[in-house]
């Protein structure tokens, strides 16, 4: 634990979700008093009791430790602090009049305006939420409008102001958040050099990676670029999967062979792209520069087309079976987490339920109850073994570790639509199993 003569006696983290809560807990573990702010009373109550409302390995133990030590507490309203870290969602909005989804900055604006009344001269405000280029500048303007008695920085300004403002995006992998918050490099984009220096002081409390300084607009686009890069490469893999399906080629064998080239690293195809970052952030670039971001927009179109394609394959198979029971393996947007945000697996199950293709069983080992939108459509949450015993069709949507332990005999005689290439990785795979799959072209497709 660091000594108490720290540059910040109290830090406030606004937004206690998948990034905000781990950040607040790690900051508190350095010895700083941290006040987390969230509008959800249930989340605040859980944290103050030393519990967590989200799942992340190691997080519950850490939260309990810092809460018990009196270093972390949660509240529904902001309190005075020396530094404020804003980590709230940045979804996109869609409407019939919009050519592309537009970023919704209402959560960021609400967070900024909520802390404005408690700001004092010398405070630091850091935006961590993934944001379109120019959002940090807008945040300074929103704060200035509420607090005209304080001075706020202008981009590239050299005058020292009352409030320091910077942008520093998170760059972590769900399931490894606590580790990567500490070890990953951080990009720090202040609205001025003084702002960047102040932000560096906060991140040096816990970051072991490099803290690299740039301007706020470049920092904002850096985060968007990282996720757009992934999205474009996944789209390439998904398009190759479609081509392989058309040409009767095993896409997984193709990628394995192509990746033996020393300068080729094709990613894995799948049922789409999910999560709050990769499925959303590229649209922020497209909305800012629609005429220039054509490849990025096309990649989004390719990846967004995947869930409907999987649904069509399941529908086609279900028509050949009377009253089929369909087991959908996985709802999360990636393996071994409970995060369902922007999950293509969720979308597949929801569309299948709305089309009444058969009895739908959802297997998701990382959640305790189905989301209301699925249970309202008649989807049943089932345990893996029970679901496979009942199923006529198995749709593999996520490669959770539990699914890798499936005995291939459990799938024998069923139609298997494998969107993750899991069949070839099963520990007890057999030729008997492979020959029993009634839709081998769909298994190969692994959308």
């Amino acid at each position: 634990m660091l000594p108490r003569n720290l540059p910040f006696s109290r830090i406030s983290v606004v937004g206690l979700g998948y990034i905000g809560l781990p950040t607040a807990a790690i900051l508190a573990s350095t010895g700083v008093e941290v006040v987390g702010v969230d509008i959800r009373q249930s989340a605040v109550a859980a944290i103050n009791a030393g519990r967590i409302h989200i799942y992340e390995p190691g997080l519950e133990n850490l939260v309990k430790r810092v809460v018990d030590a009196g270093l972390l507490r949660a509240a529904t309203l902001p309190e005075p602090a020396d530094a404020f870290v804003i980590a709230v969602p940045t979804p996109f909005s869609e409407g019939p009049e919009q050519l592309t989804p537009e970023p919704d900055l209402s959560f960021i604006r609400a967070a900024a305006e909520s802390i404005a009344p408690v700001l004092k001269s010398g405070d630091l405000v850091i935006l961590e939420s993934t944001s379109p280029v120019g959002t940090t500048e807008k945040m300074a303007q929103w704060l200035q409008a509420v607090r005209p008695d304080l001075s706020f920085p202008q981009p590239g300004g050299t005058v020292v102001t009352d409030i320091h403002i910077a942008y520093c995006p998170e760059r972590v992998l769900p399931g490894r958040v606590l580790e990567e918050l500490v070890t990953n490099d951080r990009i720090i984009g202040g609205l001025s050099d003084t702002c960047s220096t102040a932000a560096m002081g906060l991140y040096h409390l816990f970051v072991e990676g490099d803290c690299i300084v740039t301007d706020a607009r470049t920092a904002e686009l850096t985060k968007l670029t990282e996720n757009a890069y992934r999205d474009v490469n996944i789209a390439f893999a998904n398009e190759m999967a479609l081509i392989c399906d058309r040409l009767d080629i095993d896409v997984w064998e193709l990628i394995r062979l192509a990746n033996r080239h020393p300068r080729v690293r094709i990613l894995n195809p799948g049922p789409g792209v999910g999560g709050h970052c990769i499925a959303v952030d590229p649209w922020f670039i497209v909305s800012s520069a629609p005429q220039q971001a054509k490849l990025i927009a096309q990649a989004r179109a390719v990846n967004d087309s995947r869930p409907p394609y999987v649904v069509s394959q399941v529908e086609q198979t279900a028509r050949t079976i009377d009253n089929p029971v369909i087991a959908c393996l996985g709802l999360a947007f990636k393996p071994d987490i409970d995060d369902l945000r922007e999950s293509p697996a969720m979308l597949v199950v929801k569309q299948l339920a709305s089309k009444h293709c058969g009895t739908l069983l959802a297997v998701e080992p990382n959640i305790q109850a189905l989301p209301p939108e699925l249970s309202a459509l008649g989807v049943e949450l089932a345990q893996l073994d029970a679901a496979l015993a009942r199923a006529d069709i198995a749709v593999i949507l996520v490669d959770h570790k539990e699914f890798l332990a499936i005995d291939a005999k459990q799938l024998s005689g069923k139609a298997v639509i494998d969107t993750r290439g899991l069949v070839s990785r099963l520990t007890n795979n057999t030729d008997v199993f492979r020959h029993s799959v009634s839709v081998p072209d769909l298994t190969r497709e692994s959308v």
Side-chain angles (χ1 to χ4, degrees):
M1 184 174 292
L2 295 181
R4 295 302 298 172
N5 57 342
L6 297 172
F8 308 97
S9 61
R10 178 188 286 175
I11 297 173
S12 178
V13 177
V14 183
L16 298 175
Y18 286 91
I19 300 301
L21 181 55
T23 300
I26 285 179
L27 279 167
S29 73
T30 70
V32 183
E33 179 189 356
V34 178
V35 178
V37 180
D38 201 285
I39 61 174
R40 296 167 294 179
Q41 181 61 55
S42 60
V44 168
I47 293 164
N48 286 334
R51 303 192 308 271
I52 58 176
H53 58 288
I54 57 175
Y55 175 73
E56 178 64 32
L59 180 60
E60 187 157 24
N61 288 338
L62 178 60
V63 167
K64 187 177 188 320
R65 177 161 60 87
V66 292
V67 168
D68 289 348
L71 293 169
L72 173 64
R73 60 186 172 85
T76 55
L77 294 174
E79 301 176 14
D82 302 310
F84 297 83
V85 177
I86 295 177
V88 296
T90 47
F92 58 73
S93 59
E94 295 179 276
E97 73 285 352
Q98 296 173 202
L99 295 178
T100 61
E102 294 292 330
D104 178 2
L105 303 183
S106 61
F107 292 95
I108 295 176
R109 182 166 189 169
E113 292 177 345
S114 74
I115 68 171
V118 299
L119 289 179
K120 63 184 185 300
S121 182
D123 283 354
L124 167 67
V125 180
I126 296 176
L127 177 61
E128 285 200 356
S129 306
T130 304
S131 307
V133 173
T135 302
T136 310
E137 298 165 26
K138 288 182 179 179
M139 185 177 73
Q141 295 168 3
W142 295 331
L143 290 169
Q144 180 75 80
V146 179
R147 292 296 303 273
D149 57 309
L150 295 173
S151 60
F152 293 82
Q154 299 295 320
T158 57
V159 177
V160 176
T161 56
D162 292 325
I163 306 299
H164 307 300
I165 295 180
Y167 181 74
C168 182
E170 53 81 13
R171 314 163 86 195
V172 294
L173 184 69
R176 297 181 57 184
V177 171
L178 293 180
E179 174 189 348
E180 294 199 353
L181 279 175
V182 173
T183 60
N184 286 0
D185 294 345
R186 297 303 289 249
I187 307 300
I188 297 174
L191 289 183
S192 68
D193 291 342
T194 304
C195 295
S196 295
T197 300
M200 289 270 282
L202 185 143
Y203 288 103
H204 278 159
L205 291 176
F206 66 94
V207 172
E208 296 174 358
D210 293 333
C211 291
I212 305 163
V213 171
T214 184
D215 61 89
R217 294 174 71 87
T218 303
E220 289 164 341
L221 188 57
T222 297
K223 174 59 186 291
L224 301 179
T225 299
E226 292 165 358
N227 286 329
Y229 172 86
R230 293 275 296 169
D231 197 42
V232 169
N233 281 273
I234 293 169
F236 176 78
N238 281 334
E239 192 161 282
M240 290 309 303
L242 283 173
I243 293 169
C244 285
D245 187 43
R246 178 65 180 268
L247 300 179
D248 195 26
I249 292 171
D250 184 337
V251 67
W252 302 99
E253 174 74 356
L254 174 78
I255 291 174
R256 184 182 70 82
L257 295 175
N259 281 345
R260 294 185 69 86
H261 189 288
R263 288 172 296 280
V264 174
R265 182 64 185 94
I266 302 170
L267 301 179
N268 292 326
V273 173
H276 185 61
C277 291
I278 298 179
V280 176
D281 298 353
W283 287 123
F284 295 174
I285 300 178
V286 175
S287 67
S288 299
Q291 295 304 312
Q292 291 74 32
K294 294 180 179 179
L295 177 62
I296 296 172
Q298 183 59 32
R300 280 280 75 236
V302 169
N303 289 332
D304 280 348
S305 72
R306 304 305 286 162
Y309 183 84
V310 177
V311 170
S312 70
Q313 302 302 295
V314 179
E315 281 189 289
Q316 176 184 337
T317 306
R319 291 191 197 103
T320 67
I321 303 170
D322 292 333
N323 302 314
V325 175
I326 305 168
C328 296
L329 307 191
L331 293 176
F333 81 83
K334 62 175 295 180
D336 305 325
I337 62 172
D338 69 343
D339 195 342
L340 308 184
R341 292 177 297 174
E342 308 295 331
S343 170
M346 276 282 293
L347 188 56
V348 167
V349 176
K350 189 182 299 185
Q351 290 184 3
L352 286 172
S354 65
K355 291 175 178 292
H356 306 289
C357 294
T359 299
L360 281 179
L361 309 177
V363 180
E364 177 46 73
N366 298 296
I367 63 174
Q368 300 299 315
L370 281 179
E373 61 265 36
L374 292 187
S375 55
L377 290 170
V379 180
E380 302 175 35
L381 184 64
Q383 297 297 313
L384 177 60
D385 290 345
L388 291 179
R390 292 176 58 188
D392 302 297
I393 303 171
V395 186
I396 303 171
L397 298 169
V398 188
D399 43 349
H400 290 310
K401 63 179 183 294
E402 291 85 354
F403 303 161
L404 288 170
I406 292 173
D407 187 323
K409 294 177 181 177
Q410 292 178 283
L411 298 175
S412 181
K414 304 181 189 298
V416 178
I417 299 174
D418 182 7
T419 77
R420 299 303 309 170
L422 183 142
V423 167
S424 62
R425 291 184 278 159
L426 293 182
T427 55
N428 192 26
N429 204 349
T430 65
D431 289 337
V432 172
F433 161 66
R434 279 195 293 269
H435 294 157
S436 74
V437 175
S438 61
V439 282
D441 58 319
L442 304 182
T443 302
R444 275 199 306 274
E445 161 54 17
S446 294
V447 286

